[in-house]
Amino acid sequence: MNSAWLCLIAAGGASSLVLMSDPPRHSAASGPVAAASSGQSVSRVPGGVILVTGASPSASDSVTPVPEDARINGRVFDDPYFQMSFPLPEGWAEKYTSPPPSDSGRYVLAQIAAADSFSARSKGSLLITAQDIFFTSLPAMGARETIESAKNHLPEEYRVEPAPERVWLGDREFSTFAYESPQAQLHWRVLATEIRCHIVEFVVTGRDSGFIETAMRGLNKMKLPAEENPAAGPFPVCVKDFARGDNLLRRVDPVLTGHRFNPVPVRIIIDRKGAIRHIHFLSAFSDQARAISDALAQWRFKPYIADGQPVEVETGILFGPQR
Amino acid sequence: MEKSHFALLVACSAVFLLAATESTPVDPGVQTAQRGTGAALASVLANDNPGILSFFNDGQTRFQAVESVSGNAAGNNGLGPRFNSNSCSSCHAQPAPGGSGAAINPQAAFVSQGVAPDDATPSFITPTGPTREARFPFFLNSNGTANLNSPNGGVEDLFTVSGRSDAGSCKLSQPDFAEALAANDVIFRIPTPVFGAGLLENLDDSTLLNKQAANSDNDFGISGTFNRSGNDGTITRFGWKAQNKSLHMFAGEAYNVEMGVSNLLFPQDRPLPEEDQQGRGLPANCLNLSQGGYPEDTNNPSLSGPAILDDVSAFADFMRTLAPPPSGGVVLNGTAVSSTSIADGKSIFGAIGCATCHNETTGTTQPSSITGSLSKAAVHAYSDLEIHHMGTGLADNVSQGNAGGDQFRTAPLWGLGQRIFLLHDGRTTDLISAIQAHQSNGSEANAVIDNFDSLSNAQMQELLNFLRSL
């Protein structure tokens, strides 16, 4: 049985629910577990579920938060990995869940739309994304440079609109800029900040500036982690390209025998003693995740020292073809 | 002006304004005016390189040839024992040979016309529905349940040669489509058009990769990837999931899978996935039905000129030298749409993020050894040729190469004005439904569709007008 199936069954996801309400017709299988161990058979393939996945995210444990854990719980957006949360303004809702992280390290954390109460039309929307700076296919940049560059490379169908270059939300500085499309009569406000080696972006889109201002007020209720401090947290120190050179005491390369041609971005947390305590695959086939996990279990690092103390460190490694 | 006239004028202009700005947007529908779709590339018409026009014409004839099982006087033998149709152009028909499915589905008449006399027409094949092929995402157990631990995903040919006078004693049963439908274990694919396909084929990987890097810088949450060949790791680009590398490869596979003709690339007759992977292949009395040996299609050393080629090469030559589909004017409710409206629609298409996947310019081709028009040409396919997560609404639970169950190649939109059936399974003929289907759990297009939903009626109409100009 492949591990994707184990996950699906362990998660008690939609498909096992269907199994329970709609038991297989053959007698050998008396329930979902029996069905799973004897080959999982169903009298109807559940709809609206992606059962056959390509490269997908997974992690070595389910306790350590990962960026794609972002959820809307009881009208509150919450991402435990970034320790970021805010209550959704009145009338805003997440219509659809986000796609999985990309193999270039990009996450859609949430897509939230505001319905127009007078028509079926949307008044605007909020998109929350994160780009892992370990894996970006673009030149790695901080939040300020990202915004600068977006402003300078704005495609011709848009016009830059006046907006402050920085704002403070939830005690954090964000770089911002605004633009509009005269043809589509839509306005955009983009806000970016750096959290935990990711560029976290909020993109507000709407038909009028009033909507954008309301959205900005809503975002002002955001709770964000305090500025990061290597010795005091709240996160492991994040260091790009930590897993090389002198830092790496022992390295065992994974043997990829199945899928070989897709980039496999892997984020790891190394404990104070220099062993890997958490592995997050942003995008990997299950055979790749297995082979890489087996190899990484044998890696050893020099502990990372901050203020004279060994601290946890987080970094990224790209397996498969290198960019 | 008299007061009553003034009032009338005001009322009329109000109605006019409402009509112009507030009326519900509608898909202008399939554009029927001739656009010259289906012609050869300009340089091919000019016979550059010398002789190439005869290859195009010969390939076009073969693309339209109807195959028999055996005994065909013109030598078009090798159909079956299992097949979906009996000529390339029966499926690639609209609006010209090389296109997508026609308004009237020829598959619906195969049983009554003796093409597949002993078969039953599957319930999802109807005279005015989409021309289709079917796949079962999972293998079925003998009791009709679907085995979720056993992904299938291969093409389940709709028809057999059973009962045909040119098929000897071969008798096969069709896949149990009723059972698969009852298990919700059938998905469909409609034909993708091949106009301009030679241009797509001549884009270097570097061109596509640079474009991907440029696309990744967007405010819509979109980040696609490429499907790649499991053999050499390079980018593959043809088919709904960008699963195939070249036109030659696709032609060989289609000849084998869609029509049952073995050839130099796919040298055996093809059994159903369950016959091959869970059984013992095709029965002996269904092999070598053409009585000419294998492969049924091969080179013709005794002939000369284009006729020396095997059919697969001739099909590939034809497809590679078809011109891209020309754009054209749009008629909406009997009235020509203004070019301003189309131009505005195009800007909206870019501004709201459609073009982040549907890149107007996919890239510029490499120098071509084949013909001038394929050389250093800008390719306006309205696709990035990347595969994207399209969410649970479009997912078909079929994995091909690196593409998972919900990943699809950005459908090239060139030629859209003359397309009848839309999306991979042909589920709709209406552009608005096709656009709305982009939005569902897990789709990369969700934010873009939110933008689409914030457009005014008039803006949506402009966007639809633009799409039908392609």
Side-chain angles (χ1 to χ4, degrees):
Chain A
M1 176 186 297
N2 73 35
S3 62
W5 277 109
L6 280 174
C7 297
L8 193 77
I9 293 155
S15 76
S16 11
L17 286 177
V18 173
L19 281 175
M20 276 184 267
S21 62
D22 201 357
R25 271 186 264 148
H26 61 131
S27 54
S30 52
V33 177
S37 55
S38 65
Q40 204 175 16
S41 293
V42 292
S43 54
R44 274 189 73 75
V45 176
V49 195
I50 301 165
L51 298 166
V52 178
T53 52
S56 324
S58 62
S60 59
D61 67 274
S62 56
V63 195
T64 313
V66 292
E68 70 266 25
D69 282 346
R71 292 285 177 277
I72 311 265
N73 278 329
R75 304 208 43 78
V76 175
F77 168 87
D78 180 39
D79 189 314
Y81 175 87
F82 293 112
Q83 296 189 7
M84 176 167 77
S85 70
F86 67 92
L88 298 192
E90 198 58 42
W92 292 56
E94 181 189 49
K95 275 194 289 181
Y96 298 107
T97 56
S98 305
S102 79
D103 59 20
S104 56
R106 186 139 193 237
Y107 301 83
V108 173
L109 302 179
Q111 322 157 91
I112 302 164
D116 186 336
S117 40
F118 298 106
S119 75
R121 288 293 152 76
S122 151
K123 278 200 294 197
S125 59
L126 167 65
L127 175 72
I128 312 174
T129 67
Q131 172 65 53
D132 190 321
I133 62 172
F134 300 151
F135 306 117
T136 176
S137 52
L138 302 167
M141 294 184 286
R144 191 178 295 189
E145 296 92 317
T146 303
I147 291 292
E148 230 12 70
S149 153
K151 200 167 163 178
N152 295 335
H153 295 104
L154 200 62
E156 59 186 5
E157 60 262 37
Y158 304 111
R159 269 203 314 246
V160 174
E161 291 188 297
E165 284 184 5
R166 317 219 186 296
V167 295
W168 287 80
L169 293 178
D171 298 334
R172 270 217 177 216
E173 195 184 51
F174 281 73
S175 302
T176 77
F177 91 117
Y179 59 95
E180 64 164 331
S181 155
Q183 215 52 256
Q185 293 170 314
L186 288 178
H187 302 263
W188 280 264
R189 178 76 62 88
V190 186
L191 304 102
T193 192
E194 276 156 70
I195 308 177
R196 223 175 155 171
C197 289
H198 291 74
I199 308 288
V200 176
E201 277 196 323
F202 292 78
V203 182
V204 186
T205 316
R207 282 193 79 77
D208 57 67
S209 42
F211 173 81
I212 307 248
E213 292 318 316
T214 315
M216 295 290 291
R217 275 197 298 279
L219 288 179
N220 215 0
K221 305 213 173 93
M222 185 147 37
K223 289 202 190 70
L224 288 161
E227 291 292 342
E228 292 142 62
N229 169 336
F235 303 128
V237 188
C238 60
V239 184
K240 188 173 161 68
D241 297 334
F242 181 78
R244 59 169 69 158
D246 290 350
N247 298 326
L248 194 52
L249 303 177
R250 182 178 149 84
R251 173 189 173 112
V252 177
D253 283 323
V255 183
L256 300 182
T257 49
H259 295 88
R260 282 173 298 146
F261 300 121
N262 54 307
V264 183
V266 181
R267 222 174 29 81
I268 57 170
I269 298 177
I270 302 161
D271 68 18
R272 286 163 223 266
K273 296 198 180 108
I276 295 174
R277 81 151 168 87
H278 169 72
I279 309 173
H280 174 214
F281 296 93
L282 282 75
S283 172
F285 288 93
S286 52
D287 58 297
Q288 295 175 320
R290 249 191 318 272
I292 295 169
S293 297
D294 289 350
L296 286 178
Q298 304 171 65
W299 289 31
R300 285 298 173 277
F301 296 85
K302 229 193 244 170
Y304 186 89
I305 309 291
D307 292 347
Q309 294 293 316
V311 294
E312 285 198 334
V313 54
E314 177 168 346
T315 191
I317 311 165
L318 184 64
F319 290 95
Q322 303 295 307
R323 288 202 186 81
Chain B
M1 190 187 290
E2 270 179 43
K3 211 172 169 188
S4 62
H5 280 160
F6 180 68
L8 190 67
L9 188 70
V10 169
C12 288
S13 42
V15 167
F16 180 75
L17 272 177
L18 270 177
T21 60
E22 295 307 328
S23 60
T24 331
V26 289
D27 175 1
V30 179
Q31 298 300 301
T32 50
Q34 277 299 326
R35 290 180 177 179
T37 313
L41 291 162
S43 64
V44 172
L45 290 173
N47 209 21
D48 150 36
N49 292 332
I52 192 160
L53 184 56
S54 65
F55 276 62
F56 175 84
N57 289 331
D58 171 70
Q60 190 182 47
T61 306
R62 296 203 217 183
F63 195 84
Q64 298 177 80
V66 175
E67 298 293 315
S68 307
V69 182
S70 65
N72 181 302
N76 293 321
N77 292 313
L79 182 74
R82 296 187 177 278
F83 62 93
N84 284 322
S85 191
N86 55 5
S87 83
C88 302
S89 68
S90 63
C91 295
H92 295 279
Q94 161 69 24
S100 184
I104 303 295
N105 179 5
Q107 296 170 311
F110 281 177
V111 172
S112 64
Q113 287 172 352
V115 178
D118 283 4
D119 286 348
T121 306
S123 59
F124 47 82
I125 296 297
T126 58
T128 55
T131 304
R132 282 173 158 161
E133 61 170 46
R135 295 170 185 255
F136 298 168
F138 302 97
F139 281 105
L140 290 167
N141 299 311
S142 52
N143 64 1
T145 57
N147 185 349
L148 299 187
N149 271 345
S150 196
N152 170 354
V155 173
E156 299 282 336
D157 287 281
L158 306 180
F159 301 105
T160 74
V161 297
S162 309
R164 285 177 62 121
S165 57
D166 61 356
S169 64
C170 173
K171 293 258 179 297
L172 293 167
S173 44
Q174 293 165 277
D176 194 336
F177 291 112
E179 189 175 72
L181 284 166
N184 193 29
D185 191 24
V186 189
I187 66 94
F188 306 113
R189 297 278 177 85
I190 64 166
T192 43
V194 299
F195 308 119
L199 292 164
L200 297 178
E201 199 180 42
N202 198 23
L203 290 167
D204 192 64
D205 283 16
S206 60
T207 308
L208 299 177
L209 290 163
N210 285 319
K211 196 76 197 198
Q212 181 194 31
N215 287 331
S216 71
D217 188 8
N218 67 72
D219 289 338
F220 308 110
I222 296 171
S223 30
T225 191
F226 288 107
N227 204 344
R228 286 175 180 276
S229 156
N231 293 318
D232 69 359
T234 57
I235 295 173
T236 53
R237 53 191 76 179
F238 295 107
W240 283 105
K241 298 208 178 210
Q243 68 269 21
N244 256 336
K245 179 138 185 78
S246 72
L247 293 171
H248 223 114
M249 191 74 99
F250 220 120
E253 190 169 330
Y255 213 15
N256 191 231
V257 174
E258 309 294 351
M259 296 166 63
V261 182
S262 56
N263 55 70
L264 293 169
L265 290 174
F266 289 78
Q268 286 82 37
D269 268 322
R270 179 180 180 272
L272 297 173
E274 55 272 29
E275 280 174 319
D276 206 35
Q277 295 165 43
Q278 302 180 335
R280 299 209 172 184
L282 289 163
N285 65 339
C286 292
L287 294 178
N288 192 23
L289 291 177
S290 74
Q291 295 169 21
Y294 286 97
E296 289 151 329
D297 169 42
T298 184
N299 299 319
N300 307 297
S302 64
L303 304 177
S304 59
I308 202 168
L309 295 179
D310 60 315
D311 289 344
V312 169
S313 302
F315 298 146
D317 287 343
F318 162 65
M319 298 190 289
R320 195 175 286 122
T321 48
L322 272 169
S327 55
V330 174
V331 173
L332 168 64
N333 294 330
T335 310
V337 166
S338 75
S339 54
T340 328
S341 165
I342 291 174
D344 288 352
K346 183 175 177 174
S347 315
I348 291 169
F349 181 81
I352 67 174
C354 306
T356 302
C357 296
H358 295 284
N359 296 168
E360 176 183 1
T361 307
T362 311
T364 299
T365 59
Q366 290 299 304
S368 169
S369 60
I370 296 168
T371 191
S373 298
L374 292 177
S375 262
K376 299 186 179 166
V379 184
H380 301 303
Y382 291 90
S383 171
D384 52 12
L385 299 184
E386 294 172 31
I387 50 173
H388 294 274
H389 289 284
M390 298 306 289
T392 52
L394 283 169
D396 67 359
N397 280 321
V398 171
S399 152
Q400 292 176 277
N402 283 354
D406 76 327
Q407 285 170 292
F408 290 91
R409 172 183 75 166
T410 303
L413 297 184
W414 57 6
L416 190 61
Q418 296 180 309
R419 287 277 303 281
I420 300 173
F421 299 101
L422 302 173
L423 299 172
H424 66 269
D425 49 8
R427 65 178 70 179
T428 182
T429 55
D430 177 55
L431 279 180
I432 302 172
S433 312
I435 294 169
Q436 293 298 356
H438 284 58
Q439 202 174 44
S440 66
N441 282 333
S443 169
E444 288 177 43
N446 285 341
V448 170
I449 304 305
D450 279 340
N451 292 344
F452 175 78
D453 287 341
S454 344
L455 296 175
S456 69
N457 283 336
Q459 290 171 323
M460 281 190 190
Q461 188 61 58
E462 289 173 334
L463 178 60
L464 300 171
N465 294 346
F466 160 67
L467 291 172
R468 287 298 187 182
S469 77
L470 295 177

